[in-house]
């Protein structure tokens, strides 16, 4: 069209030039002067008018030519703009077609007029086959009533609507989606169509459900004493229950992201733990083991089980579950049971030894008693009174020995079963010791000298007289029995602070080094005692009495030099 206009305009200009030429070539007429003058005047006037007309026509044509040039420029600009608009339209069309979100355009009744590739993929139908179908057919039955109500609001309120709905794709399971509906308005603000954005939120829903389950699990574990951790294959903690985190003196959130090495495990435990995690992750077989941890509450023993996660777990990778169980008390109980069993075995051995030793020890004094009684009955008629008294003294000595033996056995038996009680009373310790030394015949065959030394700030103490007598009688008897005849025994009585010290020193045979660790055992006798009477209960009895008073006993000895026994008791026994 523009080319035709240009051609016509050029033809008009050319025609105008031709007219100008013809006007210039018009001939003059030979008439009389007045007629010629009149005709020339008329002709000149016409010629002038013609020139003016042609001149105006030329100006008009020039204006048209300028206008045409301007039109050409504008057309060129319009062509460029058209190309830009087409490129922009194509770009937006590509964005519409290939955006990851599903976009649809429908008429007012929600019948699909346009659909992008994401919408086709989401709904399971090709783009060209979506055109003309109502959007509602791709919704589950339970969603259609709600969708109809939202559609009415879009048509009437003319405002964007957002909500979640359940899509029913072709030949697929229903899935949750976020829906945004936007009305398309014309210049009169009338709704002429609708734009829709649909987004699959299945993963988000799964994440929300997983988070909900985690929160529920965390609440359960927070209220439970269970010590459970979730560790990935690199040894990093993904989760820790509050009870498990408490082992390390941390909050549960502070454990997450750390490794077992960060939590202060020894290199040996870290190496073993990593190896076990790798084994469980690869074999899917649980491992149970133990370790000792130096935590904020001191040393504790733990049993742990490393178990694989189920194959359908939401955790990616080969994570494992580790459960801890504090077995410190169980180990202590097991240790005590073992000790009790050992002690029971020892008691069985001791009972056997007791029967053997007591039967042997009693046999001799009983034989002496029997023999002395028979002699006194059958042969004492002609004896002197001195000889009778001596025989009676032998009888009394044997009876006293048996009585002392049974007293010691009864005391130890009561102490072992917890029946032996301390009954403290106020006594003057210096007078008590002096009276005991004066009245007690420790050994009739020997005549020792007991040097009693007193260095006491206080004389009155609160102790059990019966048990104190056992302590002193046994220690003094041992000092005399294992010392040479007519030797000196040093007995020191000292108060120091709130303690009472009883120290008895002899110059006897002493205790060999190999025997010193056994001297407080029942029925144990030193390897160098020879023919000295006794069954090895003396120091056992003393130790029981001292411990009942919450005191201490110490023995220092050297073979051939003598023995010093030091007993320290609290002056005032506290129940």
């Amino acid at each position: 069209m523009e080319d035709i206009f240009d051609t016509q305009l050029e033809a008009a200009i050319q025609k105008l030039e031709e007219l100008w030429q013809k006007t210039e070539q018009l001939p003059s007429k030979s008439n009389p002067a007045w007629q010629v003058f009149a005709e020339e005047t008329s002709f000149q006037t016409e010629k002038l008018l013609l020139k003016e007309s042609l001149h105006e026509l030329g100006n008009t044509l020039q204006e048209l030519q300028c206008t045409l040039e301007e039109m050409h420029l504008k057309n060129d600009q319009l062509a460029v703009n058209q190309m830009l608009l087409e490129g922009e339209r194509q770009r937006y069309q590509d964005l519409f077609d290939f955006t990851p979100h599903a976009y649809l355009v429908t008429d007012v009744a929600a019948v699909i007029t346009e659909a992008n590739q994401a919408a086709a993929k989401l709904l399971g139908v090709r783009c060209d086959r979506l055109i003309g179908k109502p959007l509602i057919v791709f919704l589950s039955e339970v969603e259609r009533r709600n969708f109809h109500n939202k559609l009415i609001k879009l048509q009437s309120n003319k405002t964007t609507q957002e909500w979640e709905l359940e899509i029913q794709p072709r030949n697929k399971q229903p899935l949750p989606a976020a829906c945004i509906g936007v009305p398309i308005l014309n210049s009169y603000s009338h709704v002429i169509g609708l734009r829709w954005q649909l987004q699959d939120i299945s993963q988000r829903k799964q994440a929300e459900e997983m988070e909900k389950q985690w929160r529920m699990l965390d609440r359960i574990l927070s209220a439970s004493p269970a010590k459970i951790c979730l560790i990935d294959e690199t040894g990093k903690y993904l989760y820790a229950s509050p009870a498990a985190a408490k082992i390390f003196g941390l909050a549960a959130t502070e454990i997450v992201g750390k490794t077992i090495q960060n939590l202060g495990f020894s290199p040996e435990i870290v190496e073993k733990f990593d190896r076990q995690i790798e084994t469980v992750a690869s074999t899917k077989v649980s491992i149970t083991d133990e370790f000792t941890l130096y935590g904020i509450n001191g040393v504790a023993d733990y049993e742990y089980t490393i178990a694989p996660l189920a194959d359908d777990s939401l955790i990616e990778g080969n994570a494992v579950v580790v459960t801890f169980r504090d077995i410190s008390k169980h180990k202590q109980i097991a240790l005590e049971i073992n000790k009790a069993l050992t002690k029971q075995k020892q008691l069985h051995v001791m009972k056997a030894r007791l029967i053997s030793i007591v039967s042997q020890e009693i046999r001799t004094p009983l034989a002496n008693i029997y023999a002395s009684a028979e002699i006194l009955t059958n042969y004492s008629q002609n004896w002197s009174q001195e000889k009778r008294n001596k025989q009676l003294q032998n009888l009394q000595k044997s009876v006293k020995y048996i009585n002392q033996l049974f007293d010691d056995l009864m005391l130890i038996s009561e102490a072992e079963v917890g029946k032996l009680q301390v009954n403290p009373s106020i006594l003057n310790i210096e007078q008590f010791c002096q009276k005991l030394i004066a009245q007690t015949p420790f050994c009739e065959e020997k005549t020792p000298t007991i040097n009693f030394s007193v260095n006491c700030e206080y004389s009155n103490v609160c102790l059990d007289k019966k048990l104190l007598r056992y302590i002193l009688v046994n220690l003094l008897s041992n000092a005399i029995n294992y010392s040479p005849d007519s030797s000196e025994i040093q007995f020191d009585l000292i108060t120091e602070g709130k303690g009472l010290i009883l120290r008895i020193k002899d110059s006897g045979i002493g205790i060999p080094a190999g025997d010193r660790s056994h001297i407080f055992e029942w029925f144990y006798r030193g390897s160098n005692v020879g023919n000295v009477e006794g069954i090895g209960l003396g120091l056992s009895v003393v130790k029981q009495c001292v411990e009942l008073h919450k005191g201490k006993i110490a023995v220092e000895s050297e073979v051939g030099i003598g023995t010093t026994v030091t007993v320290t008791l609290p002056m005032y026994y506290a129940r």
Side-chain angles (χ1 to χ4, degrees):
M1 188 71 178
E2 290 179 0
D3 294 339
I4 295 173
F5 185 78
D6 289 343
T7 303
Q8 291 176 346
L9 182 60
E10 288 177 0
I13 293 172
Q14 187 175 359
K15 189 68 176 176
L16 179 63
E17 291 293 332
E18 291 176 355
L19 289 174
W20 272 108
Q21 291 176 2
K22 289 180 179 181
T23 301
E24 294 293 334
Q25 297 174 358
L26 288 175
S28 300
K29 296 181 177 180
S30 57
N31 291 322
W34 64 266
Q35 190 174 359
V36 170
F37 177 78
E39 289 178 356
E40 283 184 4
T41 301
S42 174
F43 179 77
Q44 290 295 331
T45 300
E46 290 178 358
K47 187 177 180 179
L48 180 63
L49 290 175
L50 179 60
K51 287 183 177 180
E52 287 179 355
S53 298
L54 290 174
H55 185 72
E56 287 179 4
L57 178 60
N59 289 338
T60 302
L61 289 174
Q62 287 178 358
E63 289 177 1
L64 285 174
Q65 190 173 13
C66 291
T67 303
L68 181 61
E69 290 175 355
E70 290 178 1
M71 285 179 61
H72 283 310
L73 291 174
K74 289 183 179 180
N75 284 339
D76 291 341
Q77 187 65 40
L78 285 172
V80 172
N81 291 340
Q82 183 70 23
M83 290 176 62
L84 293 174
L85 286 173
E86 181 62 23
E88 193 72 10
R89 188 196 67 78
Q90 187 60 43
R91 189 168 70 86
Y92 281 106
Q93 185 65 39
D94 291 342
L95 287 175
F96 176 78
D97 286 335
F98 300 108
T99 183
H101 298 307
Y103 283 105
L104 299 164
V105 178
T106 68
D107 61 13
V108 178
V111 176
I112 300 172
T113 57
E114 290 184 59
N116 67 355
Q117 297 294 331
K121 183 178 179 181
L122 179 66
L123 301 178
V125 179
R126 280 178 9 201
C127 289
D128 57 339
R129 294 189 177 181
L130 284 174
I131 308 304
K133 290 185 172 56
L135 180 57
I136 198 169
V137 300
F138 296 102
L139 304 181
S140 63
E141 293 289 342
V142 295
E143 290 289 347
R144 294 185 178 183
R145 182 180 184 86
N146 184 43
F147 179 81
H148 182 69
N149 294 333
K150 295 288 184 181
L151 185 60
I152 292 173
K153 288 183 180 180
L154 281 168
Q155 295 166 347
S156 58
N157 296 343
K158 304 176 184 178
T159 57
T160 301
Q161 298 291 319
E162 297 183 28
W163 75 98
E164 291 183 6
L165 46 72
E166 189 176 70
I167 292 176
Q168 179 61 70
R170 183 74 58 85
N171 301 324
K172 294 182 181 178
Q173 292 295 323
L175 54 87
C179 177
I180 301 176
V182 181
I184 303 172
L185 305 179
N186 62 11
S187 58
Y188 300 102
S189 297
H190 295 155
V191 179
I192 59 174
L194 299 168
R195 286 192 293 266
W196 304 88
Q197 176 184 322
L198 300 175
Q199 183 179 357
D200 184 357
I201 57 174
S202 302
Q203 293 185 350
R204 191 183 81 188
K205 287 291 184 181
Q206 286 181 350
E208 290 175 356
E209 184 63 25
M210 182 179 177
E211 185 180 357
K212 181 180 178 182
Q213 292 176 2
W214 271 111
R215 286 199 299 267
M216 185 179 357
L217 177 62
D218 188 53
R219 285 196 295 269
I220 293 172
L221 292 177
S222 296
S224 168
K227 301 174 180 65
I228 299 176
C229 295
L230 185 63
I231 305 177
D232 68 13
E233 56 192 351
T234 66
K236 186 182 295 182
Y237 281 77
L238 302 177
Y239 174 81
S241 68
K246 192 176 180 181
I247 297 175
F248 309 102
L250 299 172
T253 53
E254 295 175 316
I255 294 285
V256 176
K258 289 184 170 59
T259 63
I260 56 176
Q261 191 170 8
N262 299 145
L263 297 175
F265 284 87
S266 67
E268 294 78 13
I269 293 179
V270 171
E271 183 181 358
K272 182 174 75 171
F273 212 65
D274 287 342
R275 187 171 60 252
Q276 290 174 337
I277 288 176
E278 184 179 351
T279 302
V280 171
S282 59
T283 64
K284 304 298 182 183
V285 178
S286 301
I287 292 177
T288 300
D289 205 340
E290 297 178 8
F291 68 84
T292 300
L293 179 66
Y294 297 85
I296 58 172
N297 297 322
V299 181
D301 294 311
Y302 290 93
E303 179 186 81
Y304 62 90
T305 298
I306 305 175
L309 282 178
D311 292 335
D312 58 351
S313 169
L314 296 177
I315 304 297
E316 294 183 0
N318 293 322
V320 296
V321 177
V322 183
T323 56
F324 297 93
R325 185 168 67 97
D326 189 342
I327 57 172
S328 301
K329 291 183 179 179
H330 296 79
K331 279 207 164 187
Q332 184 63 32
I333 292 171
L335 184 62
E336 291 175 359
I337 290 173
N338 288 333
K339 285 183 179 179
L341 291 173
T342 303
K343 191 171 184 180
Q344 188 175 13
K345 291 178 182 178
Q346 292 174 348
L347 285 173
H348 285 304
V349 174
M350 197 172 295
K351 286 179 181 179
R353 288 182 62 190
L354 174 63
I355 294 171
S356 175
I357 292 172
V358 171
S359 63
Q360 291 176 8
E361 290 295 321
I362 292 178
R363 186 179 293 116
T364 299
L366 283 177
N368 290 337
I369 292 170
Y370 180 79
S372 297
E374 187 176 0
I375 290 172
L376 286 172
T377 302
N378 298 323
Y379 306 104
S380 62
Q381 294 83 359
N382 299 323
W383 284 3
S384 63
Q385 188 61 39
E386 181 181 356
K387 194 173 180 180
R388 277 198 199 93
N389 290 341
K390 187 175 181 179
Q391 196 66 37
L392 287 171
Q393 286 175 359
N394 288 335
L395 247 172
Q396 291 174 347
K397 179 183 175 183
S398 297
V399 171
K400 285 172 63 178
Y401 179 79
I402 293 173
N403 187 59
Q404 183 64 42
L405 175 63
F406 279 107
D407 284 346
D408 291 346
L409 290 172
M410 287 298 296
L411 186 142
I412 290 180
S413 176
E414 290 177 359
E416 287 295 320
V417 298
K419 291 184 179 180
L420 186 61
Q421 301 295 324
V422 179
N423 297 306
S425 61
I426 302 296
L427 59 90
N428 186 303
I429 187 61
E430 182 178 348
Q431 294 177 3
F432 179 85
C433 292
Q434 288 175 341
K435 187 176 180 181
L436 184 141
I437 293 170
Q439 293 181 354
T440 305
F442 296 100
C443 185
E444 296 178 359
E445 289 81 7
K446 296 183 179 182
T447 55
T449 301
I450 299 177
N451 298 324
F452 182 52
S453 172
V454 180
N455 183 14
C456 294
E457 186 178 355
Y458 307 102
S459 298
N460 291 331
V461 297
C462 184
L463 297 170
D464 188 308
K465 293 180 181 179
K466 177 183 174 183
L467 299 182
L468 187 58
R469 181 180 292 277
Y470 269 117
I471 294 171
L472 293 176
V473 168
N474 275 286
L475 293 180
L476 289 171
S477 297
N478 283 348
I480 294 169
N481 288 334
Y482 297 110
S483 297
D485 190 15
S486 302
S487 63
E488 292 187 356
I489 307 297
Q490 182 64 38
F491 180 8
D492 297 327
L493 180 63
I494 305 168
T495 58
E496 189 176 278
K498 295 183 179 181
L500 174 67
I501 299 174
L502 305 168
R503 182 180 295 119
I504 297 173
K505 181 179 181 182
D506 64 49
S507 54
I509 62 175
I511 305 171
D515 295 334
R516 289 171 198 165
S517 60
H518 303 285
I519 57 176
F520 296 114
E521 295 177 6
W522 292 3
F523 308 117
Y524 188 84
R525 303 194 73 199
S527 57
N528 61 340
V529 297
N531 297 322
V532 179
E533 291 184 348
I535 61 172
L537 286 179
L539 287 177
S540 300
V541 172
V542 171
K543 189 172 185 295
Q544 293 285 348
C545 295
V546 170
E547 289 178 349
L548 284 169
H549 274 96
K550 300 179 182 178
K552 297 178 181 178
I553 182 171
V555 177
E556 297 177 5
S557 185
E558 189 173 348
V559 176
I561 303 298
T563 301
T564 301
V565 180
T566 303
V567 173
T568 304
L569 302 174
M571 290 192 294
Y572 300 99
Y573 174 79
R575 292 185 181 276

